[in-house]
Each structure stands twice: as structure tokens, then as C-alpha cells.
Amino acid sequence: MMRQQINSLVAMILGPEKTEEKKKAEEEKKEESETADKDLPPPDLRPLRNALLGAGFTECCLLRLLPKLPASTCARAEKFNSWVTSEAKALDFLGPDEKRVLTAFAWGSPATKHLQLSPDASDDTIAALRLTARLAGVALSSGGRDLLEFIRTVVLHPSKAVSGVSGFLTLIDTEEKDIIREKEEDAKAARLRAEKKKTE
């Protein structure tokens, strides 16, 4: 009975101190948790798009230059294309248009047969396709509102690029016609003034 009273007395004396220590420890733990859970800036995945296209081009597209390919190699190249166009969570940073470009410069498809190499491809064809693939990779990694936006539009939305260029050329043509019409009107007005002076 005496021991219980002593323990109770000790608990009463040391309780607040222990509670404060526990409270402090909990606060420190909470701070660490909040620091860990703070929203970090999203990673810049643009260079990854370029790297993916480069890998697909090197590991798949250029394989078509070989005179003979094992069936297993072709299967792996096709599997890469299937993975890129899949709904894999790891590829959430790619849009549908970007996926199409990646597959076009990888193993390709019947729709992108014009981009596929063959063992008898000329050096010029290979060099041109390498350059095109490089531009496509740069376009994929561009941010949107920079000097590369036009290249990105050409690669991902060629119809928009054609419409934009066509609209720009139409605008220039309209402005030139307006300038010519204004000059003709000024010349006509000058002739009328000259004739009026003669009659006076």
C-alpha cells in the first residue's frame, strides 16, 4: 500500500515533465512529417521526352539498317512501341501526340512507313532521318512558349503549322494588295488634282 502511494506521488511529480517531453517529441515528429510532405516543385520531364525518342531511334529505328534481324529483336522493338502507346502510369507525362511521335521514330507503324529505314538506305536518307529525329526530340523537350514552339507545332500538329503559315502568307498578300491599292488611289487623286489645276 505504501509503495503504491509512493508510485502515485512520483507519477504526480514526474508526470508533467514526462508529458512535456512527450509533447516536444511529438511536435518534432510532426515538423519532420510536414517538411517531408511539403509540395516539392514538379520535376522537369521535358529532357526525358527527348531521351526517350533518342533511345527509341537508336535502339529500334536504326536496327532496320541491318541486313537481317532476329525475330526476338523485332519482337522487343514492337514491345517498346506497345509500351510507349500504352496507358502505363510511368508515361503519364506524355500526351497522345507525343506518344505517336515517339513510336514513329522508334519501330514505326504502317502509317509512318516513310520514316522507316532499310538496309539499302542511302547515306543522305540516314543523315536526313537522323536530323529529323533530332529536331523531333528537341521539339518534344521544348517548353511551349519559346523559340522552339514552331518546331514543336510542326512535329506534333503539322496541320496547325500549315494553317498558321498559310494564314501568315495570306496576311502578307492582303497587306501588299492594300499598299498597292492605296498607292493607286493616291496616284489617281494626284492626277485629278493636276487636271483640275489645268482647267482652272
Side-chain angles (χ1 to χ4, degrees):
M1 186 73 179
M2 181 68 73
R3 182 173 289 180
Q4 287 179 351
Q5 289 177 345
I6 292 171
N7 289 340
S8 299
L9 186 60
V10 170
M12 285 176 60
I13 296 170
L14 297 180
E17 188 178 342
K18 282 189 174 181
T19 304
E20 286 297 323
E21 286 177 4
K22 188 177 179 182
K23 192 176 178 182
K24 189 176 179 183
E26 285 175 354
E27 286 177 356
E28 288 176 357
K29 192 175 180 181
K30 188 179 177 183
E31 284 178 9
E32 287 175 6
S33 176
E34 287 175 355
T35 305
D37 293 339
K38 271 185 181 175
D39 289 337
L40 296 173
D44 186 3
L45 297 177
R46 290 176 298 172
L48 184 55
R49 297 188 186 107
N50 193 355
L52 265 176
L53 189 141
F57 184 76
T58 305
E59 300 297 329
C60 298
C61 186
L62 294 181
L63 288 177
R64 293 185 182 275
L65 291 171
L66 298 175
K68 192 175 181 182
L69 280 173
S72 59
T73 302
C74 294
R76 282 199 299 271
E78 289 172 359
K79 193 174 181 181
F80 175 82
N81 264 24
S82 299
W83 175 72
V84 168
T85 54
S86 71
E87 299 295 324
K89 192 166 179 64
L91 299 172
D92 283 350
F93 66 97
L94 293 172
D97 296 320
E98 292 167 334
K99 287 182 177 182
R100 278 195 290 272
V101 171
L102 283 172
T103 54
F105 285 97
W107 192 242
S109 66
T112 58
K113 199 171 181 180
H114 59 287
L115 294 174
Q116 294 172 15
L117 294 169
S118 61
D120 58 348
S122 66
D123 291 343
D124 290 342
T125 300
I126 297 168
L129 192 56
R130 279 181 181 275
L131 176 61
T132 307
R134 175 59 67 185
L135 282 173
V138 168
L140 289 183
S141 64
S142 69
R145 295 184 176 277
D146 54 24
L147 295 174
L148 297 171
E149 176 61 13
F150 177 72
I151 297 175
R152 182 178 173 83
T153 304
V154 169
V155 170
L156 296 179
H157 310 287
S159 59
K160 285 185 181 179
V162 171
S163 301
V165 171
S166 177
F168 179 68
L169 293 176
T170 303
L171 179 63
I172 290 176
D173 185 52
T174 304
E175 287 180 350
E176 285 179 350
K177 286 179 180 177
D178 288 344
I179 291 169
I180 292 169
R181 188 174 64 253
E182 285 175 5
K183 285 182 178 179
E184 288 175 348
E185 288 174 355
D186 290 344
K188 187 178 180 181
R191 282 198 305 273
L192 289 172
R193 283 196 300 271
E195 288 174 2
K196 191 176 181 181
K197 279 184 180 179
K198 283 180 183 179
T199 54
E200 290 174 354

